[in-house]
Amino acid sequence: GNSLKNTGEPGISGINVKVGNKLVQTDKMGVYRTSIRAKKVFVAIDVESLPPGFVLSTVANREITIENHKTTIVNFGLTTRTAISGIVYVDQNQNNTFDLQDKPIGRAKLWLDGTLVTQSDAGGVYTFENVSPGKHRMKFDINSLPLEYLPTIKLEHEVEVEEGSTYILNIPLKKK
């Protein structure tokens, strides 16, 4: 995620890149090539061609000055966004699914691995971003809820997050 090509970072194949009026695709090493006859060219990555779970860690496009008979390298950085997210809400119809009639609850506190803490926003949404892949322990702080509500699921969960994915854990509540 540092926007630089570091040793050991693999290339990604199948990414479309527009170089001037030409559309090229990265090979199995993540490399693309084309010849240009211009003094300047606009180079842009097609974000629609990114694999699921990847986002850009660099700008998506840039104008490049071309030197005659020289190779110019234009890299684009991609990184995965691995996260744990969900909604804390009052489950009005008790179906364990967030529906339009359900009431989101803000300021509910959640812990990840006993050290990271976050709170749900006014829309009930909480997120732990840039979570490392693997198993994690989540804990819901019942003391952060308004007094009239109780969770309908257990307070602690072990979740397993895969690289480049977002694990969703919603927290439905009911009135006491």
Side-chain angles (χ1 to χ4, degrees):
N2 68 354
S3 301
L4 301 172
K5 173 96 171 90
N6 296 312
T7 304
E9 292 180 335
I12 300 173
S13 66
I15 306 294
N16 295 327
V17 180
K18 190 168 185 181
V19 182
N21 293 328
K22 297 180 179 183
L23 185 65
V24 294
Q25 194 172 70
T26 59
D27 63 17
K28 65 182 179 181
M29 300 299 289
V31 175
Y32 65 96
R33 289 183 176 85
T34 190
S35 296
I36 294 293
R37 293 178 64 121
K39 291 185 180 189
K40 289 189 176 193
V41 67
F42 191 69
V43 181
I45 193 167
D46 176 11
V47 295
E48 298 296 320
S49 67
L50 300 182
F54 283 87
V55 295
L56 283 163
S57 63
T58 61
V59 296
N61 53 59
R62 47 190 103 135
E63 187 177 52
I64 304 299
T65 301
I66 303 295
E67 293 184 47
N68 203 14
H69 302 292
K70 299 251 181 169
T71 299
T72 302
I73 297 172
V74 181
N75 289 329
F76 293 97
L78 301 178
T79 189
T80 56
R81 289 289 184 227
T82 304
I84 299 172
S85 185
I87 301 173
V88 181
Y89 65 97
V90 178
D91 191 7
Q92 302 287 4
N93 60 6
Q94 301 293 304
N95 68 349
N96 289 329
T97 302
F98 182 69
D99 300 311
L100 291 177
Q101 72 271 15
D102 292 335
K103 177 184 172 187
I105 300 294
R107 302 181 59 113
K109 191 183 289 186
L110 295 105
W111 291 86
L112 184 65
D113 297 330
T115 57
L116 298 175
V117 65
T118 193
Q119 284 188 331
S120 58
D121 64 16
V125 176
Y126 74 89
T127 303
F128 290 101
E129 294 184 5
N130 299 321
V131 176
S132 61
K135 291 184 181 181
H136 296 276
R137 177 143 308 284
M138 283 192 51
K139 185 176 181 180
F140 182 69
D141 183 358
I142 194 167
N143 295 319
S144 66
L145 287 178
L147 291 175
E148 68 268 24
Y149 299 117
L150 288 173
T152 62
I153 63 172
K154 59 186 178 176
L155 297 179
E156 288 192 43
H157 292 269
E158 184 176 279
V159 297
E160 187 159 0
V161 181
E162 294 182 20
E163 180 75 31
S165 67
T166 297
Y167 186 94
I168 304 295
L169 179 64
N170 292 330
I171 314 288
L173 309 172
K174 66 178 181 179
K175 279 198 171 215
K176 287 184 182 178

